[in-house]
Amino acid sequence: MAFSWILPQCSKFDLEDIDKIIAAAIRVLEKTAWTIDGTPEFMGFLSSFGCEVRGKKVQFSTLVVEKALDRIKQEREQKAASAQAEKEQILPTQIEFSTSGQALWCSDPETDQLRAATEKDLANLCRVINSFPGLDRSHPTFIPQDAPLMTRELHSFVTIMLNSDKPYRVSAYSPEVVKYFVEALTIYYGSEKKALTNLLLPCKVWINTPFMISRETIEAPMEIRRLTGQPLVYNPMPVVGIATPVTPAGALVLITAEVLGVNVISLAVDDCLCGWCAAPLSFDMKTGIHNQWGPETIVIGTAQTHIAAQLFGTRPSVRATLGTGAKTPGAQSMCERSFGVGMGVLAGIRSFGGLATLAHSDVGSVVQLMMDMELMQAVAKLVEGFCVDEEEMAEELIVELASKGAVFLDTEHTAKYFRRYQWFPELMDRRVPMSWKDNPATMLENARKKALHLIKTAPNKCPLDQTQKTELAKLLQTADKELGEAQ
């Protein structure tokens, strides 16, 4: 490959200022008690590690913080010693992309009107996703609101199993529902052992910034940890200006203190670091809503990667995503999407999630997915690079034809290579105006037409037989009854 993209230095953060922020964060962490409503086992881990536990209040002493900082330093030095020095990092020539979200709302594919998401919406989306080669998924996109409250995540999981080529991840938010996920996978794989091996539930503990962890975010991950042996992972999503100071410097001090505290907790519970795990959002004072996209979000997200690099030896990068505040597919969603993806891919990002989501993942849309895939396919073509060899330089062909004018379109060389090096949009329109006006259509209209066609025609690739499907239906009925009564 003669032409390829490399990772440029996209931003700069003065090391002296980074050290000031880290030092202030350490002081904040040592002075500020956390509020943690953990299980007895969880709180016991913290106490045994040396944390001062008084009821729900947890204080990280200087000794405990230094223990974590020493471990961080050791692992950073090991990483630096084992890493090969490279002047240039050659980036992958492929793009990875996935759907995500846990939306309670659906942007109706026919009208764009917002309504409660249903199991049918999720089933349709599953079949549509399977019609795109290479399209992965993390979260289910829709959480059906026509399912019972206490088992909605289980209904999401079973709906995916019944309408997809394989099970995909759905988060469980209560310890009681976890066993039903295991039972569902046991039906799918035929054995509980294989079910536990393939249990897709993340052991994720959500942090309520500043410095708070509630019982409901600990119980389910601890049960999953017990079943699978996975270490807990942690996810602070601080909203700058609400959960932190509004100034970037102040926000970074609090975020860094919280990340360091989470690493103390991770060492106490699982004897491992979790690294930099924060995903800060901004707050719109005008509308009173958090934002996953916007210049202020990108700035604070990018700045934190420099602090992460100083602490954990990672590489600074631009934090740009597919996030959008738009509630329906259209100009705003694609403007924000394209801005984030463009910045991200040029900064070295090669994996993008959040396809099919709107309104910061609160809304799901099959129509938006069509436009997202067009954007991803364009980016995939962009990062491929190209080859230089005798045949592709086409020297003899140029000598033969250049004097005859622009006639390369007629050659076998063009017929052989044009599909490899050209991109053919399906939804964007490249026709000349005189041709377009006789049959006008916008990208949004084309996306809607394609979405409705796939909803009707995309095959169900579920590999389960009728007996397994019946068993899953019975499992849902049992869970609805048992967990509904327990409510």
Side-chain angles (χ1 to χ4, degrees):
M1 189 66 65
F3 175 89
S4 57
W5 297 93
I6 63 171
L7 184 63
Q9 181 63 40
C10 298
S11 57
K12 183 180 180 181
F13 200 162
D14 190 278
L15 288 179
E16 184 177 345
D17 289 333
I18 292 175
D19 288 338
K20 287 180 183 178
I21 289 172
I22 293 173
I26 293 171
R27 293 192 293 270
V28 167
L29 180 60
E30 293 175 347
K31 294 176 182 178
T32 309
W34 286 49
T35 301
I36 303 177
D37 187 11
T39 64
E41 181 185 19
F42 187 90
M43 302 302 278
F45 285 131
L46 299 182
S47 182
S48 298
F49 191 70
C51 302
E52 299 173 14
V53 179
R54 302 182 301 276
K56 296 180 182 179
K57 293 297 181 180
V58 178
Q59 190 81 43
F60 298 142
S61 66
T62 299
L63 184 63
V64 165
V65 174
E66 287 179 351
K67 192 187 302 187
L69 291 171
D70 286 343
R71 182 72 170 268
I72 289 170
K73 181 181 179 181
Q74 290 172 16
E75 295 199 8
R76 181 181 66 241
E77 290 175 349
Q78 290 173 1
K79 184 184 300 183
S82 62
Q84 294 182 354
E86 295 182 357
K87 293 183 179 180
E88 295 179 345
Q89 179 191 3
I90 304 300
L91 295 171
T93 57
Q94 291 185 328
I95 294 288
E96 297 177 353
F97 39 87
S98 61
T99 61
S100 186
Q102 301 181 86
L104 311 185
W105 297 92
C106 174
S107 176
D108 188 275
E110 293 187 358
T111 66
D112 283 341
Q113 296 296 310
L114 296 189
R115 53 172 175 75
T118 66
E119 288 190 36
K120 184 178 180 181
D121 291 323
L122 181 53
N124 287 338
L125 179 69
C126 291
R127 294 184 293 103
V128 171
I129 288 174
N130 275 168
S131 69
F132 287 101
L135 176 57
D136 200 358
R137 63 192 306 180
S138 53
H139 290 301
T141 302
F142 292 119
I143 301 295
Q145 300 302 289
D146 54 348
L149 177 62
M150 299 301 294
T151 55
R152 281 177 181 167
E153 63 261 56
L154 180 63
H155 277 260
S156 300
F157 189 54
V158 172
T159 300
I160 289 172
M161 293 171 71
L162 292 172
N163 293 275
S164 303
D165 59 340
K166 62 181 181 180
Y168 290 89
R169 188 179 75 174
V170 177
S171 296
Y173 293 103
S174 73
E176 294 81 13
V177 80
V178 171
K179 71 173 186 178
Y180 297 104
F181 276 74
V182 176
E183 290 182 30
L185 285 172
T186 300
I187 293 170
Y188 191 94
Y189 290 112
S191 77
E192 182 176 322
K193 181 179 180 181
K194 196 166 184 181
L196 290 173
T197 302
N198 291 277
L199 189 62
L200 301 169
L201 294 173
C203 285
K204 181 174 287 187
V205 177
W206 293 92
I207 311 299
N208 299 320
T209 305
F211 312 134
M212 184 180 297
I213 308 177
S214 58
R215 174 63 71 95
E216 57 266 25
T217 70
I218 294 178
E219 289 180 324
M222 287 295 286
E223 174 64 10
I224 298 164
R225 176 182 179 274
R226 183 187 68 80
L227 290 170
T228 66
Q230 300 177 54
L232 299 180
V233 295
Y234 303 85
N235 196 179
M237 293 186 71
V239 180
V240 174
I242 296 296
T244 79
V246 72
T247 54
L252 288 169
V253 168
L254 193 151
I255 292 168
T256 303
E258 195 162 72
V259 167
L260 290 173
V262 164
N263 276 274
V264 171
I265 294 171
S266 184
L267 284 173
V269 176
D270 291 305
D271 191 30
C272 65
L273 296 174
C274 61
W276 193 274
C277 51
L281 312 174
S282 62
F283 187 76
D284 189 327
M285 301 290 182
K286 180 178 179 181
T287 60
I289 190 65
H290 65 275
N291 291 295
Q292 293 177 332
W293 182 93
E296 63 273 55
T297 308
I298 295 173
V299 167
I300 196 75
T302 300
Q304 73 164 5
T305 69
H306 289 264
I307 299 175
Q310 183 75 345
L311 282 169
F312 297 100
T314 53
R315 185 185 292 270
S317 65
V318 171
R319 184 181 180 270
T321 70
L322 275 169
T324 176
K327 270 56 72 179
T328 58
Q332 180 182 341
S333 70
M334 294 311 294
C335 174
E336 292 175 339
R337 290 277 211 251
S338 300
F339 185 94
V341 170
M343 286 195 68
V345 74
L346 292 178
I349 297 173
R350 292 295 181 266
S351 180
F352 294 92
L355 278 70
T357 62
L358 296 158
H360 310 304
S361 300
D362 288 339
V363 176
S365 168
V366 180
V367 176
Q368 182 63 47
L369 175 60
M370 301 302 107
M371 296 197 289
D372 290 342
M373 286 302 299
E374 184 106 319
L375 179 58
M376 289 296 98
Q377 289 160 1
V379 172
K381 178 59 67 174
L382 172 69
V383 304
E384 283 181 359
F386 60 83
C387 178
V388 175
D389 61 22
E390 294 300 322
E391 184 173 3
E392 297 203 19
M393 286 192 296
E395 179 181 346
E396 293 182 1
L397 185 65
I398 294 170
V399 171
E400 176 187 352
L401 297 181
S403 62
K404 300 178 181 179
V407 295
F408 290 91
L409 187 62
D410 300 333
T411 66
E412 291 185 8
H413 187 271
T414 299
K416 180 177 180 179
Y417 286 107
F418 80 94
R419 288 185 179 87
R420 178 174 176 180
Y421 288 118
Q422 292 192 327
W423 177 62
F424 300 95
E426 184 178 357
L427 308 180
M428 303 178 196
D429 197 301
R430 288 174 162 180
R431 293 175 295 169
V432 298
M434 290 300 293
S435 175
W436 178 86
K437 75 179 186 65
D438 293 331
N439 183 24
T442 65
M443 181 181 183
L444 180 59
E445 290 168 341
N446 291 333
R448 192 183 316 283
K449 182 178 179 181
K450 182 176 181 180
L452 294 174
H453 173 73
L454 288 176
I455 287 172
K456 291 179 181 179
T457 63
N460 188 339
K461 297 185 179 181
C462 172
L464 300 180
D465 60 33
Q466 189 55 51
T467 299
Q468 291 170 299
K469 293 177 182 178
T470 301
E471 289 180 13
L472 286 172
K474 290 179 179 178
L475 177 66
L476 284 179
Q477 292 175 354
T478 300
D480 290 344
K481 183 176 185 298
E482 293 180 352
L483 295 186
E485 290 176 349
Q487 184 177 4

